[in-house]
């Protein structure tokens, strides 16, 4: 199978409350409208918004509710992300449920949006999963993609499509669109970047193809984004270049350069001079 049909739900939801019943109705309605859908993806923290007090262990009741929804609709269901409690730590965790309701992948966001995403621990594992007979997917959440090493690690592990839920309601959304396209081009993969809308986000979800081209860009209100992902196309681009142009993954593989910043014990005087990672302070105008 070359073509895989998936949908991203850019929903207008309420922060700081359980939105599961609304999400369930949207997922069920979308599958009824498009019975050929094989995967449905939600935006980051869409279930309860940026509220760590809703954190649950995994496996737990909320993840199980999503598993039952995946079984009901017979799709791969990507939760966007949920807050996970693991003893005294909280993670921003994305779960992928199979059409049989099995948890086939969990990914803990590696780069919480510090210093603003307070009290959330960093994950430390790059996660991919396979859809049998189709291809390999990689998982990334929001701020992760600002660090190109994260998407490159997924491509290095064979990801052909990167599922990237986000929760952005700030003026840098336009910059994120450029970053999504750049990550798609430099890693010759699809980037499926799904944002929330309404009170949770400013929308403008984007699907970028393996040449960095815009497959679709949403507006700022609620939308269901249904696209066909062509895995043969990804493999052709990786083999021959986008429109017979660059082959960056092969060049990355074959280039003998040693990157100094990744060597054990490496330090940067320039980065160390930037000071602590903290919220900007209010200027003191008294002097």
């Amino acid at each position: 199978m070359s073509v895989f049909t998936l949908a991203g739900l850019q929903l207008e939801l309420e922060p700081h409350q359980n939105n599961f019943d609304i999400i369930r109705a949207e997922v069920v309605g979308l599958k009824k409208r498009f019975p050929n859908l094989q995967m449905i993806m939600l935006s980051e923290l869409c279930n309860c918004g940026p509220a760590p007090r809703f954190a649950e262990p995994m496996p737990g009741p909320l993840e199980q509710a999503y598993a039952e929804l995946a079984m009901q609709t017979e799709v791969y269901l990507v939760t966007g992300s949920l807050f996970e409690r693991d003893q005294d730590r909280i993670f921003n965790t994305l779960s992928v449920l199979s059409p049989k309701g099995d948890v086939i992948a969990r990914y803990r966001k590696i780069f919480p949006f510090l210093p603003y995403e307070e009290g959330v621990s960093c994950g430390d594992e790059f996660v991919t999963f396979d859809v049998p007979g189709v291809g390999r997917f990689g998982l990334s959440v929001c701020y992760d993609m600002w660090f190109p090493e994260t998407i490159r690690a997924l491509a290095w592990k064979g990801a052909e499509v990167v599922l990237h839920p986000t929760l952005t309601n700030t003026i840098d959304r336009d910059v994120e669109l450029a970053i999504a396209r750049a990550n798609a081009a430099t890693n010759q993969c699809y980037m499926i970047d799904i944002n929330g809308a309404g009170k949770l986000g400013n929308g403008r979800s984007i699907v970028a193809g393996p040449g960095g081209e815009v497959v679709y860009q949403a507006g700022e209100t609620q939308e269901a984004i249904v696209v066909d992902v062509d895995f043969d196309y990804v493999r052709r681009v990786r083999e021959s270049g986008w429109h017979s142009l660059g082959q960056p993954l092969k060049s990355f593989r074959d280039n003998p350069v040693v990157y100094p910043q990744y060597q054990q014990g490496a330090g940067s005087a320039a980065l160390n001079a930037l000071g602590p990672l903290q919220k900007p302070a209010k200027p003191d105008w008294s002097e």
Side-chain angles (χ1 to χ4, degrees), residues 3 13 23 71 74 77 141 162 185 222 226 230 267 272 279:
V3 175
L13 298 167
I23 293 169
M71 283 191 291
E74 298 181 307
L77 186 59
V141 176
V162 174
Q222 182 160 312
V226 179
D230 190 337
N272 290 339
K279 294 180 182 179

Side-chain angles (χ1 to χ4, degrees), residues 28 30 129 179 266 277 281:
V28 170
L30 187 63
F129 68 93
I179 294 172
L277 178 58

Side-chain angles (χ1 to χ4, degrees), residues 39 76 78 94-97 103-108 110 124-132 135-141 144 149-164 187 189-191 231 238:
M39 177 181 288
Y76 289 90
V78 183
L94 186 163
S95 300
V96 181
L97 298 316
V103 178
I104 58 173
R106 289 194 189 102
Y107 167 69
R108 290 171 166 174
I110 289 177
D124 60 6
E125 182 180 0
F126 297 98
V127 177
T128 62
F129 68 93
D130 293 337
V131 172
R136 181 161 294 177
F137 295 78
L139 302 178
S140 172
V141 176
D144 287 332
E149 298 88 346
T150 63
I151 308 302
R152 177 55 52 85
L154 295 174
W156 183 81
K157 289 170 67 72
E160 299 162 295
V161 176
V162 174
L163 304 173
H164 182 82
N187 293 288
C189 65
Y190 282 96
M191 284 287 295
F231 282 84
R238 288 183 168 182

Side-chain angles (χ1 to χ4, degrees), residues 85-273:
R85 184 176 298 279
D86 184 357
Q87 298 183 27
D88 61 345
R89 295 192 297 172
I90 292 176
F91 295 93
N92 186 339
T93 301
L94 186 163
S95 300
V96 181
L97 298 316
S98 79
K100 296 182 179 180
D102 298 322
V103 178
I104 58 173
R106 289 194 189 102
Y107 167 69
R108 290 171 166 174
K109 185 177 181 180
I110 289 177
F111 282 97
F113 187 45
L114 299 176
Y116 297 97
E117 197 172 352
E118 297 176 319
V120 179
S121 297
C122 304
D124 60 6
E125 182 180 0
F126 297 98
V127 177
T128 62
F129 68 93
D130 293 337
V131 172
V134 177
R136 181 161 294 177
F137 295 78
L139 302 178
S140 172
V141 176
C142 200
Y143 200 40
D144 287 332
M145 78 169 179
W146 284 71
F147 305 88
E149 298 88 346
T150 63
I151 308 302
R152 177 55 52 85
L154 295 174
W156 183 81
K157 289 170 67 72
E160 299 162 295
V161 176
V162 174
L163 304 173
H164 182 82
T166 190
L167 176 58
T168 300
N169 60 3
T170 46
I171 64 170
D172 57 349
R173 183 58 186 157
D174 189 61
V175 180
E176 290 186 333
L177 301 179
I179 294 172
R181 294 184 63 186
N183 274 313
T186 56
N187 293 288
Q188 299 179 297
C189 65
Y190 282 96
M191 284 287 295
I192 315 293
D193 178 303
I194 303 299
N195 193 16
K199 294 179 181 179
L200 279 181
N202 51 18
R204 300 174 73 189
S205 299
I206 187 170
V207 178
E213 73 276 25
V214 176
V215 176
Y216 180 73
Q217 183 179 320
E220 297 181 357
T221 57
Q222 182 160 312
E223 289 192 42
I225 301 157
V226 179
V227 293
D228 288 335
V229 171
D230 190 337
F231 282 84
D232 282 349
Y233 171 49
V234 175
R235 292 158 193 165
R236 185 171 67 250
V237 169
R238 288 183 168 182
E239 180 179 354
S240 303
W242 189 62
H243 294 297
S244 302
L245 296 172
Q247 300 175 32
L249 289 184
K250 291 181 183 179
S251 291
F252 176 75
R253 178 198 65 193
D254 296 344
N255 194 292
V257 67
V258 175
Y259 297 94
Q261 65 269 36
Y262 302 133
Q263 303 310 301
Q264 187 173 2
S268 168
L271 298 190
N272 290 339

